PDB file of all heavy atoms in Angstrom:
ATOM      1  N   LYS A 654      -6.788  -2.072 -78.441  1.00 98.00           N
ATOM      2  CA  LYS A 654      -6.713  -3.515 -78.166  1.00 98.00           C
ATOM      3  C   LYS A 654      -6.391  -3.766 -76.697  1.00 98.00           C
ATOM      4  O   LYS A 654      -6.921  -4.694 -76.079  1.00 98.00           O
ATOM      5  CB  LYS A 654      -5.672  -4.177 -79.067  1.00 98.00           C
ATOM      6  CG  LYS A 654      -6.145  -4.349 -80.502  1.00 98.00           C
ATOM      7  CD  LYS A 654      -5.073  -4.989 -81.383  1.00 98.00           C
ATOM      8  CE  LYS A 654      -5.580  -5.156 -82.814  1.00 98.00           C
ATOM      9  NZ  LYS A 654      -4.525  -5.692 -83.724  1.00 98.00           N
ATOM     10  N   THR A 655      -5.532  -2.929 -76.142  1.00 98.00           N
ATOM     11  CA  THR A 655      -5.211  -3.052 -74.717  1.00 98.00           C
ATOM     12  C   THR A 655      -6.424  -2.686 -73.868  1.00 98.00           C
ATOM     13  O   THR A 655      -6.733  -3.360 -72.879  1.00 98.00           O
ATOM     14  CB  THR A 655      -4.010  -2.157 -74.350  1.00 98.00           C
ATOM     15  OG1 THR A 655      -2.897  -2.472 -75.195  1.00 98.00           O
ATOM     16  CG2 THR A 655      -3.607  -2.352 -72.904  1.00 98.00           C
ATOM     17  N   VAL A 656      -7.124  -1.640 -74.252  1.00 97.00           N
ATOM     18  CA  VAL A 656      -8.342  -1.237 -73.539  1.00 97.00           C
ATOM     19  C   VAL A 656      -9.369  -2.358 -73.557  1.00 97.00           C
ATOM     20  O   VAL A 656      -9.973  -2.679 -72.514  1.00 97.00           O
ATOM     21  CB  VAL A 656      -8.942   0.049 -74.161  1.00 97.00           C
ATOM     22  CG1 VAL A 656     -10.356   0.297 -73.620  1.00 97.00           C
ATOM     23  CG2 VAL A 656      -8.055   1.253 -73.873  1.00 97.00           C
ATOM     24  N   TYR A 657      -9.575  -3.009 -74.706  1.00 97.00           N
ATOM     25  CA  TYR A 657     -10.565  -4.080 -74.810  1.00 97.00           C
ATOM     26  C   TYR A 657     -10.201  -5.234 -73.894  1.00 97.00           C
ATOM     27  O   TYR A 657     -11.070  -5.826 -73.241  1.00 97.00           O
ATOM     28  CB  TYR A 657     -10.679  -4.569 -76.251  1.00 97.00           C
ATOM     29  CG  TYR A 657     -11.216  -3.534 -77.219  1.00 97.00           C
ATOM     30  CD1 TYR A 657     -10.800  -3.510 -78.550  1.00 97.00           C
ATOM     31  CD2 TYR A 657     -12.136  -2.564 -76.800  1.00 97.00           C
ATOM     32  CE1 TYR A 657     -11.281  -2.556 -79.442  1.00 97.00           C
ATOM     33  CE2 TYR A 657     -12.618  -1.603 -77.684  1.00 97.00           C
ATOM     34  CZ  TYR A 657     -12.175  -1.612 -79.002  1.00 97.00           C
ATOM     35  OH  TYR A 657     -12.646  -0.661 -79.876  1.00 97.00           O
ATOM     36  N   PHE A 658      -8.906  -5.577 -73.837  1.00 98.00           N
ATOM     37  CA  PHE A 658      -8.483  -6.669 -72.954  1.00 98.00           C
ATOM     38  C   PHE A 658      -8.784  -6.327 -71.500  1.00 98.00           C
ATOM     39  O   PHE A 658      -9.308  -7.153 -70.740  1.00 98.00           O
ATOM     40  CB  PHE A 658      -6.984  -6.950 -73.132  1.00 98.00           C
ATOM     41  CG  PHE A 658      -6.467  -7.986 -72.183  1.00 98.00           C
ATOM     42  CD1 PHE A 658      -6.638  -9.339 -72.445  1.00 98.00           C
ATOM     43  CD2 PHE A 658      -5.821  -7.615 -71.002  1.00 98.00           C
ATOM     44  CE1 PHE A 658      -6.180 -10.305 -71.549  1.00 98.00           C
ATOM     45  CE2 PHE A 658      -5.362  -8.568 -70.102  1.00 98.00           C
ATOM     46  CZ  PHE A 658      -5.545  -9.921 -70.389  1.00 98.00           C
ATOM     47  N   ILE A 659      -8.459  -5.114 -71.100  1.00 97.00           N
ATOM     48  CA  ILE A 659      -8.694  -4.708 -69.713  1.00 97.00           C
ATOM     49  C   ILE A 659     -10.194  -4.640 -69.406  1.00 97.00           C
ATOM     50  O   ILE A 659     -10.653  -5.096 -68.359  1.00 97.00           O
ATOM     51  CB  ILE A 659      -7.997  -3.356 -69.429  1.00 97.00           C
ATOM     52  CG1 ILE A 659      -6.472  -3.548 -69.478  1.00 97.00           C
ATOM     53  CG2 ILE A 659      -8.429  -2.783 -68.077  1.00 97.00           C
ATOM     54  CD1 ILE A 659      -5.684  -2.255 -69.424  1.00 97.00           C
ATOM     55  N   LYS A 660     -10.961  -4.104 -70.334  1.00 96.00           N
ATOM     56  CA  LYS A 660     -12.411  -4.026 -70.139  1.00 96.00           C
ATOM     57  C   LYS A 660     -13.021  -5.405 -69.953  1.00 96.00           C
ATOM     58  O   LYS A 660     -13.915  -5.606 -69.121  1.00 96.00           O
ATOM     59  CB  LYS A 660     -13.069  -3.321 -71.327  1.00 96.00           C
ATOM     60  CG  LYS A 660     -14.578  -3.168 -71.173  1.00 96.00           C
ATOM     61  CD  LYS A 660     -15.187  -2.464 -72.383  1.00 96.00           C
ATOM     62  CE  LYS A 660     -16.707  -2.324 -72.214  1.00 96.00           C
ATOM     63  NZ  LYS A 660     -17.333  -1.668 -73.362  1.00 96.00           N
ATOM     64  N   ASP A 661     -12.527  -6.384 -70.709  1.00 96.00           N
ATOM     65  CA  ASP A 661     -13.071  -7.743 -70.644  1.00 96.00           C
ATOM     66  C   ASP A 661     -12.705  -8.463 -69.353  1.00 96.00           C
ATOM     67  O   ASP A 661     -13.381  -9.420 -68.964  1.00 96.00           O
ATOM     68  CB  ASP A 661     -12.565  -8.575 -71.828  1.00 96.00           C
ATOM     69  CG  ASP A 661     -13.241  -8.195 -73.130  1.00 96.00           C
ATOM     70  OD1 ASP A 661     -14.272  -7.495 -73.090  1.00 96.00           O
ATOM     71  OD2 ASP A 661     -12.727  -8.594 -74.200  1.00 96.00           O
ATOM     72  N   ASN A 662     -11.631  -8.033 -68.698  1.00 96.00           N
ATOM     73  CA  ASN A 662     -11.110  -8.809 -67.571  1.00 96.00           C
ATOM     74  C   ASN A 662     -11.142  -8.105 -66.222  1.00 96.00           C
ATOM     75  O   ASN A 662     -11.136  -8.776 -65.186  1.00 96.00           O
ATOM     76  CB  ASN A 662      -9.672  -9.239 -67.866  1.00 96.00           C
ATOM     77  CG  ASN A 662      -9.585 -10.321 -68.921  1.00 96.00           C
ATOM     78  OD1 ASN A 662      -9.809 -11.491 -68.640  1.00 96.00           O
ATOM     79  ND2 ASN A 662      -9.273  -9.925 -70.152  1.00 96.00           N
ATOM     80  N   TYR A 663     -11.166  -6.773 -66.215  1.00 95.00           N
ATOM     81  CA  TYR A 663     -11.010  -6.044 -64.959  1.00 95.00           C
ATOM     82  C   TYR A 663     -12.223  -5.159 -64.702  1.00 95.00           C
ATOM     83  O   TYR A 663     -12.414  -4.156 -65.373  1.00 95.00           O
ATOM     84  CB  TYR A 663      -9.736  -5.190 -64.985  1.00 95.00           C
ATOM     85  CG  TYR A 663      -8.469  -6.009 -65.059  1.00 95.00           C
ATOM     86  CD1 TYR A 663      -7.972  -6.431 -66.297  1.00 95.00           C
ATOM     87  CD2 TYR A 663      -7.783  -6.380 -63.913  1.00 95.00           C
ATOM     88  CE1 TYR A 663      -6.816  -7.203 -66.374  1.00 95.00           C
ATOM     89  CE2 TYR A 663      -6.627  -7.140 -63.970  1.00 95.00           C
ATOM     90  CZ  TYR A 663      -6.146  -7.552 -65.210  1.00 95.00           C
ATOM     91  OH  TYR A 663      -5.010  -8.313 -65.286  1.00 95.00           O
ATOM     92  N   GLU A 664     -13.019  -5.554 -63.711  1.00 88.00           N
ATOM     93  CA  GLU A 664     -14.162  -4.726 -63.357  1.00 88.00           C
ATOM     94  C   GLU A 664     -13.691  -3.487 -62.615  1.00 88.00           C
ATOM     95  O   GLU A 664     -12.611  -3.462 -62.022  1.00 88.00           O
ATOM     96  CB  GLU A 664     -15.118  -5.530 -62.466  1.00 88.00           C
ATOM     97  CG  GLU A 664     -14.501  -5.934 -61.147  1.00 88.00           C
ATOM     98  CD  GLU A 664     -15.344  -6.935 -60.378  1.00 88.00           C
ATOM     99  OE1 GLU A 664     -15.842  -7.881 -61.008  1.00 88.00           O
ATOM    100  OE2 GLU A 664     -15.488  -6.754 -59.159  1.00 88.00           O
ATOM    101  N   GLY A 665     -14.494  -2.438 -62.632  1.00 81.00           N
ATOM    102  CA  GLY A 665     -14.092  -1.179 -62.026  1.00 81.00           C
ATOM    103  C   GLY A 665     -14.680  -0.965 -60.646  1.00 81.00           C
ATOM    104  O   GLY A 665     -15.475  -1.761 -60.165  1.00 81.00           O
ATOM    105  N   PHE A 666     -14.239   0.101 -60.005  1.00 80.00           N
ATOM    106  CA  PHE A 666     -14.928   0.533 -58.791  1.00 80.00           C
ATOM    107  C   PHE A 666     -15.440   1.949 -59.056  1.00 80.00           C
ATOM    108  O   PHE A 666     -14.894   2.674 -59.889  1.00 80.00           O
ATOM    109  CB  PHE A 666     -13.994   0.471 -57.571  1.00 80.00           C
ATOM    110  CG  PHE A 666     -13.202   1.715 -57.287  1.00 80.00           C
ATOM    111  CD1 PHE A 666     -13.505   2.501 -56.189  1.00 80.00           C
ATOM    112  CD2 PHE A 666     -12.139   2.088 -58.105  1.00 80.00           C
ATOM    113  CE1 PHE A 666     -12.769   3.651 -55.919  1.00 80.00           C
ATOM    114  CE2 PHE A 666     -11.389   3.232 -57.827  1.00 80.00           C
ATOM    115  CZ  PHE A 666     -11.719   4.013 -56.736  1.00 80.00           C
ATOM    116  N   MET A 667     -16.502   2.321 -58.384  1.00 85.00           N
ATOM    117  CA  MET A 667     -17.199   3.544 -58.746  1.00 85.00           C
ATOM    118  C   MET A 667     -16.520   4.779 -58.155  1.00 85.00           C
ATOM    119  O   MET A 667     -16.210   4.844 -56.969  1.00 85.00           O
ATOM    120  CB  MET A 667     -18.658   3.470 -58.273  1.00 85.00           C
ATOM    121  CG  MET A 667     -19.454   2.341 -58.935  1.00 85.00           C
ATOM    122  SD  MET A 667     -19.317   2.326 -60.752  1.00 85.00           S
ATOM    123  CE  MET A 667     -20.087   3.897 -61.156  1.00 85.00           C
ATOM    124  N   PHE A 668     -16.283   5.737 -59.022  1.00 91.00           N
ATOM    125  CA  PHE A 668     -15.867   7.071 -58.616  1.00 91.00           C
ATOM    126  C   PHE A 668     -16.396   8.032 -59.669  1.00 91.00           C
ATOM    127  O   PHE A 668     -16.859   7.609 -60.738  1.00 91.00           O
ATOM    128  CB  PHE A 668     -14.343   7.173 -58.466  1.00 91.00           C
ATOM    129  CG  PHE A 668     -13.580   7.027 -59.751  1.00 91.00           C
ATOM    130  CD1 PHE A 668     -13.195   8.148 -60.476  1.00 91.00           C
ATOM    131  CD2 PHE A 668     -13.252   5.772 -60.252  1.00 91.00           C
ATOM    132  CE1 PHE A 668     -12.493   8.019 -61.663  1.00 91.00           C
ATOM    133  CE2 PHE A 668     -12.547   5.636 -61.442  1.00 91.00           C
ATOM    134  CZ  PHE A 668     -12.170   6.757 -62.146  1.00 91.00           C
ATOM    135  N   ASP A 669     -16.388   9.320 -59.376  1.00 91.00           N
ATOM    136  CA  ASP A 669     -16.948  10.272 -60.332  1.00 91.00           C
ATOM    137  C   ASP A 669     -16.069  11.522 -60.413  1.00 91.00           C
ATOM    138  O   ASP A 669     -14.984  11.577 -59.824  1.00 91.00           O
ATOM    139  CB  ASP A 669     -18.396  10.628 -59.970  1.00 91.00           C
ATOM    140  CG  ASP A 669     -18.527  11.159 -58.550  1.00 91.00           C
ATOM    141  OD1 ASP A 669     -17.614  11.872 -58.095  1.00 91.00           O
ATOM    142  OD2 ASP A 669     -19.558  10.869 -57.908  1.00 91.00           O
ATOM    143  N   CYS A 670     -16.567  12.524 -61.133  1.00 94.00           N
ATOM    144  CA  CYS A 670     -15.775  13.741 -61.373  1.00 94.00           C
ATOM    145  C   CYS A 670     -15.386  14.449 -60.086  1.00 94.00           C
ATOM    146  O   CYS A 670     -14.366  15.150 -60.040  1.00 94.00           O
ATOM    147  CB  CYS A 670     -16.550  14.703 -62.270  1.00 94.00           C
ATOM    148  SG  CYS A 670     -16.888  14.042 -63.923  1.00 94.00           S
ATOM    149  N   ASP A 671     -16.193  14.281 -59.054  1.00 95.00           N
ATOM    150  CA  ASP A 671     -15.887  14.925 -57.776  1.00 95.00           C
ATOM    151  C   ASP A 671     -14.611  14.377 -57.148  1.00 95.00           C
ATOM    152  O   ASP A 671     -14.040  15.001 -56.247  1.00 95.00           O
ATOM    153  CB  ASP A 671     -17.052  14.746 -56.797  1.00 95.00           C
ATOM    154  CG  ASP A 671     -18.297  15.513 -57.224  1.00 95.00           C
ATOM    155  OD1 ASP A 671     -18.137  16.489 -57.992  1.00 95.00           O
ATOM    156  OD2 ASP A 671     -19.408  15.134 -56.803  1.00 95.00           O
ATOM    157  N   ASP A 672     -14.166  13.198 -57.609  1.00 96.00           N
ATOM    158  CA  ASP A 672     -12.970  12.568 -57.049  1.00 96.00           C
ATOM    159  C   ASP A 672     -11.690  12.943 -57.792  1.00 96.00           C
ATOM    160  O   ASP A 672     -10.592  12.582 -57.351  1.00 96.00           O
ATOM    161  CB  ASP A 672     -13.112  11.036 -57.070  1.00 96.00           C
ATOM    162  CG  ASP A 672     -14.232  10.544 -56.185  1.00 96.00           C
ATOM    163  OD1 ASP A 672     -14.269  10.954 -55.008  1.00 96.00           O
ATOM    164  OD2 ASP A 672     -15.072   9.753 -56.663  1.00 96.00           O
ATOM    165  N   TYR A 673     -11.807  13.660 -58.897  1.00 97.00           N
ATOM    166  CA  TYR A 673     -10.632  13.929 -59.728  1.00 97.00           C
ATOM    167  C   TYR A 673      -9.563  14.726 -58.977  1.00 97.00           C
ATOM    168  O   TYR A 673      -8.368  14.444 -59.098  1.00 97.00           O
ATOM    169  CB  TYR A 673     -11.033  14.681 -61.004  1.00 97.00           C
ATOM    170  CG  TYR A 673     -11.677  13.830 -62.083  1.00 97.00           C
ATOM    171  CD1 TYR A 673     -12.302  12.629 -61.780  1.00 97.00           C
ATOM    172  CD2 TYR A 673     -11.664  14.252 -63.404  1.00 97.00           C
ATOM    173  CE1 TYR A 673     -12.901  11.857 -62.774  1.00 97.00           C
ATOM    174  CE2 TYR A 673     -12.262  13.489 -64.410  1.00 97.00           C
ATOM    175  CZ  TYR A 673     -12.883  12.297 -64.095  1.00 97.00           C
ATOM    176  OH  TYR A 673     -13.472  11.544 -65.073  1.00 97.00           O
ATOM    177  N   GLU A 674      -9.993  15.747 -58.226  1.00 96.00           N
ATOM    178  CA  GLU A 674      -9.023  16.569 -57.496  1.00 96.00           C
ATOM    179  C   GLU A 674      -8.267  15.726 -56.464  1.00 96.00           C
ATOM    180  O   GLU A 674      -7.059  15.902 -56.278  1.00 96.00           O
ATOM    181  CB  GLU A 674      -9.715  17.750 -56.820  1.00 96.00           C
ATOM    182  CG  GLU A 674     -10.207  18.817 -57.772  1.00 96.00           C
ATOM    183  CD  GLU A 674      -9.068  19.588 -58.454  1.00 96.00           C
ATOM    184  OE1 GLU A 674      -7.906  19.538 -57.954  1.00 96.00           O
ATOM    185  OE2 GLU A 674      -9.337  20.262 -59.473  1.00 96.00           O
ATOM    186  N   GLN A 675      -8.978  14.818 -55.800  1.00 95.00           N
ATOM    187  CA  GLN A 675      -8.320  13.949 -54.823  1.00 95.00           C
ATOM    188  C   GLN A 675      -7.320  13.020 -55.513  1.00 95.00           C
ATOM    189  O   GLN A 675      -6.198  12.812 -55.025  1.00 95.00           O
ATOM    190  CB  GLN A 675      -9.353  13.119 -54.058  1.00 95.00           C
ATOM    191  CG  GLN A 675      -8.754  12.178 -53.023  1.00 95.00           C
ATOM    192  CD  GLN A 675      -8.070  12.932 -51.888  1.00 95.00           C
ATOM    193  OE1 GLN A 675      -8.714  13.570 -51.068  1.00 95.00           O
ATOM    194  NE2 GLN A 675      -6.735  12.866 -51.844  1.00 95.00           N
ATOM    195  N   LEU A 676      -7.716  12.481 -56.669  1.00 96.00           N
ATOM    196  CA  LEU A 676      -6.805  11.630 -57.442  1.00 96.00           C
ATOM    197  C   LEU A 676      -5.541  12.415 -57.816  1.00 96.00           C
ATOM    198  O   LEU A 676      -4.421  11.902 -57.722  1.00 96.00           O
ATOM    199  CB  LEU A 676      -7.496  11.108 -58.705  1.00 96.00           C
ATOM    200  CG  LEU A 676      -8.555  10.023 -58.507  1.00 96.00           C
ATOM    201  CD1 LEU A 676      -9.373   9.842 -59.781  1.00 96.00           C
ATOM    202  CD2 LEU A 676      -7.907   8.694 -58.111  1.00 96.00           C
ATOM    203  N   TYR A 677      -5.739  13.664 -58.231  1.00 95.00           N
ATOM    204  CA  TYR A 677      -4.601  14.490 -58.641  1.00 95.00           C
ATOM    205  C   TYR A 677      -3.675  14.763 -57.450  1.00 95.00           C
ATOM    206  O   TYR A 677      -2.441  14.765 -57.600  1.00 95.00           O
ATOM    207  CB  TYR A 677      -5.107  15.809 -59.240  1.00 95.00           C
ATOM    208  CG  TYR A 677      -4.028  16.620 -59.918  1.00 95.00           C
ATOM    209  CD1 TYR A 677      -3.471  16.209 -61.125  1.00 95.00           C
ATOM    210  CD2 TYR A 677      -3.559  17.805 -59.341  1.00 95.00           C
ATOM    211  CE1 TYR A 677      -2.470  16.954 -61.746  1.00 95.00           C
ATOM    212  CE2 TYR A 677      -2.564  18.554 -59.952  1.00 95.00           C
ATOM    213  CZ  TYR A 677      -2.033  18.126 -61.155  1.00 95.00           C
ATOM    214  OH  TYR A 677      -1.035  18.849 -61.761  1.00 95.00           O
ATOM    215  N   GLU A 678      -4.245  14.976 -56.271  1.00 92.00           N
ATOM    216  CA  GLU A 678      -3.430  15.191 -55.073  1.00 92.00           C
ATOM    217  C   GLU A 678      -2.579  13.966 -54.770  1.00 92.00           C
ATOM    218  O   GLU A 678      -1.403  14.088 -54.402  1.00 92.00           O
ATOM    219  CB  GLU A 678      -4.325  15.524 -53.868  1.00 92.00           C
ATOM    220  CG  GLU A 678      -4.831  16.943 -53.854  1.00 92.00           C
ATOM    221  CD  GLU A 678      -3.692  17.958 -53.835  1.00 92.00           C
ATOM    222  OE1 GLU A 678      -2.800  17.847 -52.965  1.00 92.00           O
ATOM    223  OE2 GLU A 678      -3.679  18.857 -54.705  1.00 92.00           O
ATOM    224  N   TYR A 679      -3.172  12.771 -54.916  1.00 91.00           N
ATOM    225  CA  TYR A 679      -2.398  11.547 -54.699  1.00 91.00           C
ATOM    226  C   TYR A 679      -1.235  11.471 -55.693  1.00 91.00           C
ATOM    227  O   TYR A 679      -0.115  11.101 -55.332  1.00 91.00           O
ATOM    228  CB  TYR A 679      -3.282  10.313 -54.849  1.00 91.00           C
ATOM    229  CG  TYR A 679      -4.240  10.078 -53.703  1.00 91.00           C
ATOM    230  CD1 TYR A 679      -5.588   9.771 -53.946  1.00 91.00           C
ATOM    231  CD2 TYR A 679      -3.820  10.131 -52.380  1.00 91.00           C
ATOM    232  CE1 TYR A 679      -6.474   9.538 -52.912  1.00 91.00           C
ATOM    233  CE2 TYR A 679      -4.700   9.906 -51.326  1.00 91.00           C
ATOM    234  CZ  TYR A 679      -6.028   9.612 -51.603  1.00 91.00           C
ATOM    235  OH  TYR A 679      -6.896   9.381 -50.569  1.00 91.00           O
ATOM    236  N   MET A 680      -1.491  11.820 -56.941  1.00 93.00           N
ATOM    237  CA  MET A 680      -0.429  11.784 -57.960  1.00 93.00           C
ATOM    238  C   MET A 680       0.686  12.770 -57.611  1.00 93.00           C
ATOM    239  O   MET A 680       1.865  12.476 -57.793  1.00 93.00           O
ATOM    240  CB  MET A 680      -0.997  12.115 -59.343  1.00 93.00           C
ATOM    241  CG  MET A 680      -1.922  11.067 -59.913  1.00 93.00           C
ATOM    242  SD  MET A 680      -2.589  11.613 -61.522  1.00 93.00           S
ATOM    243  CE  MET A 680      -4.301  11.124 -61.348  1.00 93.00           C
ATOM    244  N   LYS A 681       0.333  13.939 -57.119  1.00 90.00           N
ATOM    245  CA  LYS A 681       1.325  14.968 -56.782  1.00 90.00           C
ATOM    246  C   LYS A 681       2.275  14.488 -55.690  1.00 90.00           C
ATOM    247  O   LYS A 681       3.431  14.900 -55.632  1.00 90.00           O
ATOM    248  CB  LYS A 681       0.631  16.254 -56.320  1.00 90.00           C
ATOM    249  CG  LYS A 681       0.063  17.090 -57.452  1.00 90.00           C
ATOM    250  CD  LYS A 681      -0.808  18.224 -56.938  1.00 90.00           C
ATOM    251  CE  LYS A 681      -0.044  19.185 -56.050  1.00 90.00           C
ATOM    252  NZ  LYS A 681      -0.898  20.311 -55.586  1.00 90.00           N
ATOM    253  N   HIS A 682       1.793  13.591 -54.835  1.00 81.00           N
ATOM    254  CA  HIS A 682       2.607  13.128 -53.721  1.00 81.00           C
ATOM    255  C   HIS A 682       3.222  11.754 -53.970  1.00 81.00           C
ATOM    256  O   HIS A 682       3.749  11.122 -53.051  1.00 81.00           O
ATOM    257  CB  HIS A 682       1.775  13.118 -52.430  1.00 81.00           C
ATOM    258  CG  HIS A 682       1.453  14.494 -51.946  1.00 81.00           C
ATOM    259  ND1 HIS A 682       0.316  15.170 -52.340  1.00 81.00           N
ATOM    260  CD2 HIS A 682       2.145  15.353 -51.149  1.00 81.00           C
ATOM    261  CE1 HIS A 682       0.309  16.373 -51.786  1.00 81.00           C
ATOM    262  NE2 HIS A 682       1.401  16.509 -51.064  1.00 81.00           N
ATOM    263  N   ASP A 683       3.159  11.305 -55.212  1.00 76.00           N
ATOM    264  CA  ASP A 683       3.811  10.041 -55.569  1.00 76.00           C
ATOM    265  C   ASP A 683       5.319  10.200 -55.350  1.00 76.00           C
ATOM    266  O   ASP A 683       5.918  11.203 -55.735  1.00 76.00           O
ATOM    267  CB  ASP A 683       3.514   9.714 -57.038  1.00 76.00           C
ATOM    268  CG  ASP A 683       3.939   8.301 -57.407  1.00 76.00           C
ATOM    269  OD1 ASP A 683       5.159   8.050 -57.439  1.00 76.00           O
ATOM    270  OD2 ASP A 683       3.071   7.459 -57.686  1.00 76.00           O
ATOM    271  N   LYS A 684       5.947   9.178 -54.733  1.00 67.00           N
ATOM    272  CA  LYS A 684       7.363   9.310 -54.382  1.00 67.00           C
ATOM    273  C   LYS A 684       8.294   9.344 -55.599  1.00 67.00           C
ATOM    274  O   LYS A 684       9.474   9.662 -55.473  1.00 67.00           O
ATOM    275  CB  LYS A 684       7.792   8.189 -53.432  1.00 67.00           C
ATOM    276  CG  LYS A 684       7.673   6.761 -53.958  1.00 67.00           C
ATOM    277  CD  LYS A 684       8.181   5.777 -52.907  1.00 67.00           C
ATOM    278  CE  LYS A 684       8.024   4.331 -53.344  1.00 67.00           C
ATOM    279  NZ  LYS A 684       6.661   3.823 -53.238  1.00 67.00           N
ATOM    280  N   LYS A 685       7.781   9.051 -56.786  1.00 74.00           N
ATOM    281  CA  LYS A 685       8.620   9.107 -57.997  1.00 74.00           C
ATOM    282  C   LYS A 685       8.816  10.537 -58.488  1.00 74.00           C
ATOM    283  O   LYS A 685       9.702  10.811 -59.296  1.00 74.00           O
ATOM    284  CB  LYS A 685       7.974   8.265 -59.114  1.00 74.00           C
ATOM    285  CG  LYS A 685       7.851   6.787 -58.794  1.00 74.00           C
ATOM    286  CD  LYS A 685       7.254   6.016 -59.940  1.00 74.00           C
ATOM    287  CE  LYS A 685       5.803   6.372 -60.241  1.00 74.00           C
ATOM    288  NZ  LYS A 685       4.867   5.988 -59.191  1.00 74.00           N
TER     289      LYS A 685
END
């Protein structure tokens, strides 16, 4: 139900599998 609400209201920006490692690096350096 939460996914459906977000899908209906929030458009995405394009990224693909090649970006996953970069996303993971950003998470690793999160200050939390």
Side-chain angles (χ1 to χ4, degrees):
K654 285 179 180 176
T655 305
V656 168
Y657 295 148
F658 176 81
I659 292 171
K660 182 180 180 181
D661 286 346
N662 288 281
Y663 295 86
E664 63 191 44
F666 90 109
M667 297 310 296
F668 67 95
D669 56 36
C670 297
D671 292 337
D672 296 309
Y673 283 23
E674 289 292 342
Q675 180 65 70
L676 287 167
Y677 190 71
E678 282 301 308
Y679 287 133
M680 291 177 223
K681 282 171 61 178
H682 290 90
D683 191 291
K684 61 178 177 283
K685 297 182 294 293

